[in-house]
Amino acid sequence: MSYQVHQAAAVRSGTARIDAIIAALIGAAAAALIAASPLAALAHPLGGGAAASELTGAAQEQSGGASPLDAGINMAVSRVCTFSVSEGDALLDTQADLVSGQVAGTAEAAAAQAAAEAEAEADAAASEHAAAPAQPAFATIDIDGDAMPYVSAYLATTAPSSGAGLWMGSDSTTDGSWGYFIGHNPGPFHHVMDLAPGDAITVTDSAGAARTYRVVDVFTVPDTTAWEDIQQRVTGYGESIILQTCCGDDANYRIVVAA
């Protein structure tokens, strides 16, 4: 063998050894990269040392038909791609389940909080409504605990069929004047027949102002009595009310004054 031939064989032998070493290093590096990846935490991790040996061996087996460097790279890429398809799907499914669970939990918590806030608001509104004093109805007169509405009946020849009528004067409970109310008996004014001095009568005027009056005078007049006949007797009390009703036989009227 000539010197040149010997030198070429040595070069080929050295190149083969370098290629083998490079293939082993590439395989180990690929395995280490895969093992260090977050994907390695899946159900089927590659495992560092075993993966490196497997890649290295495969690279060496394939080095007969291709460069050991190419074989190592091809094997590493093949394993990474296979891992990404099979194990990556499982990772995405797991992440999707976790996200769905978190979204569902957040939605349930938000719905529960909204329901609790709505219930609290309803309770607060109910408490406020319960705490607020009942407002009396406007334009009512309460005789012996029997409250009834009244309407305007200025100089009417008969009382309203229900409730009371304001026949003359003012219904205001704060103007310092008088109001003359009429009503039927039998009917809504039947309690007028039972009133006596000191009894209470409460009027809530059309403005919503309530006032309780006390009976100061009670008398009976014939149905032929004119307003001028009793005016002086019933209008000298300042803030006051006058009630009139039939005595039942339409022959007489009962007049009650309260101030």
Side-chain angles (χ1 to χ4, degrees):
M1 177 182 296
S2 68
Y3 173 77
Q4 287 80 8
V5 172
H6 178 77
Q7 186 179 40
V11 169
R12 287 196 297 273
S13 176
T15 301
R17 293 181 61 188
I18 291 172
D19 287 345
I21 291 171
I22 291 173
L25 291 175
I26 290 297
L33 287 174
I34 294 172
S37 171
L39 296 177
L42 292 175
H44 304 288
L46 292 177
S53 299
E54 183 179 348
L55 291 173
T56 302
Q60 291 173 346
E61 290 177 0
Q62 296 180 13
S63 63
S67 168
L69 178 59
D70 293 339
I73 292 173
N74 290 338
M75 178 59 70
V77 170
S78 175
R79 287 301 306 272
V80 170
C81 291
T82 302
F83 184 80
S84 299
V85 172
S86 62
E87 302 297 337
D89 288 343
L91 177 60
L92 292 176
D93 291 342
T94 301
Q95 291 176 336
D97 291 341
L98 290 175
V99 171
S100 297
Q102 291 174 349
V103 170
T106 301
E108 291 176 359
Q113 182 178 358
E117 291 176 353
E119 183 177 358
E121 290 178 0
D123 291 343
S127 298
E128 183 178 355
H129 179 73
Q135 297 297 322
F138 290 6
T140 61
I141 182 169
D142 186 318
I143 304 172
D144 196 23
D146 185 8
M148 68 196 74
Y150 64 81
V151 296
S152 176
Y154 182 69
L155 296 180
T157 57
T158 185
S161 58
S162 63
L166 180 63
W167 188 61
M168 290 182 64
S170 167
D171 73 329
S172 173
T173 61
T174 59
D175 64 355
S177 185
W178 51 269
Y180 199 115
F181 295 87
I182 57 176
H184 284 297
N185 172 57
F189 260 30
H190 70 279
H191 286 302
V192 173
M193 299 300 298
D194 302 323
L195 291 175
D199 289 343
I201 304 169
T202 300
V203 173
T204 303
D205 62 26
S206 54
R211 184 185 183 95
T212 297
Y213 302 87
R214 296 287 175 176
V215 175
V216 295
D217 193 9
V218 178
F219 58 96
T220 302
V221 296
D223 60 359
T224 57
T225 302
W227 163 247
E228 291 76 14
D229 296 334
I230 63 171
Q231 181 177 3
Q232 293 298 322
R233 183 171 180 176
V234 300
T235 60
Y237 296 94
E239 181 60 55
S240 58
I241 58 174
I242 304 106
L243 308 182
Q244 173 189 310
T245 192
C246 298
C247 291
D249 58 4
D250 292 331
N252 298 290
Y253 295 130
R254 191 171 205 242
I255 308 297
V256 175
V257 181

